[in-house]
Amino acid sequence: MIPQRACRALARPWADLLSSLIVVVTSGLLLLWAGQVQAGEIRDVQTLAPLVGKIIRTVVSIRVGTGMAAASGSVNTGLPMTKEVSGAGVIIKSESGSIVTSNHLIDGAKSLSVELSDGRRFEAKFVVADERHDLAMLRVSASGLTAATVGRSIDAEPGDFVLAVGGTAGLAQGVSFGIVSALHRSRAGIPCQDLIQTDALLDRGSSGGPLFNLRGEVIGIVVATTGETERGFWPGNPFGCD
């Protein structure tokens, strides 16, 4: 028969071990519960989906047909040679169908067409250009347009969160998220010397697309990217001129 003192000595380690197991299991449950709450908060509060759903309706895809000279040594068929490039723009007045984009995108265009976020396509007409700021205005005759709110780019500061919208021709518009990296930038070939730089990444075809703040206001238009090889049509850090 084991003495009572020995029983108590044997029971103590088991009690300590059981207590440790309860603490570990309880801690694990608390971590799991906290993780579920955090995931719920991210989904319900910290998503940009409502904002993106609002601003994406104001952005259009633009296709530009330009005339091209025949390459040396090529067979002359007598037919005009054309090249199509793509970019983006943003609706600023729904009643008149006014769209703002980059001037370099539509410069020399022989044809202009616009595709809305709902898939409708329209021929566009050139209205006016501002070469200093590399901006141009187009117009389409369409109903049911959603215009963006134009904000004050002068209020932008380094560190502000921004959304850039654009995308590859033939695909739905894409959205990228970043911050204002710097202000008062300049780029060779762009007369405007007061550009906004952001680290939001863009796909090819985003030239002329809008830069939004988190209030859903347009604060810039993409006019150039770093590492570009064709007037800012390449991914990189877009610059919006204020």
Side-chain angles (χ1 to χ4, degrees), residues 98-113:
S98 299
I99 297 169
V100 171
T101 185
S102 292
N103 182 54
H104 71 256
L105 174 66
I106 57 90
D107 187 29
K110 301 299 182 181
S111 64
L112 291 167
S113 64

Side-chain angles (χ1 to χ4, degrees), residues 2-16:
I2 302 176
Q4 187 176 4
R5 181 178 297 177
C7 288
R8 287 199 298 267
L10 290 173
R12 188 176 296 113
W14 284 103
D16 293 341

Side-chain angles (χ1 to χ4, degrees), residues 81-137:
M81 296 183 65
T82 60
K83 176 185 178 182
E84 188 176 84
V85 295
S86 61
V90 60
I91 302 168
I92 60 168
K93 290 186 178 180
S94 56
E95 298 84 1
S96 60
S98 299
I99 297 169
V100 171
T101 185
S102 292
N103 182 54
H104 71 256
L105 174 66
I106 57 90
D107 187 29
K110 301 299 182 181
S111 64
L112 291 167
S113 64
V114 166
E115 182 175 347
L116 307 182
S117 60
D118 59 11
R120 291 183 292 163
R121 295 183 181 181
F122 300 92
E123 295 298 316
K125 295 181 179 180
F126 170 78
V127 178
V128 67
D130 180 348
E131 295 184 359
R132 178 182 179 274
H133 293 89
D134 192 21
L135 298 175
M137 182 179 291

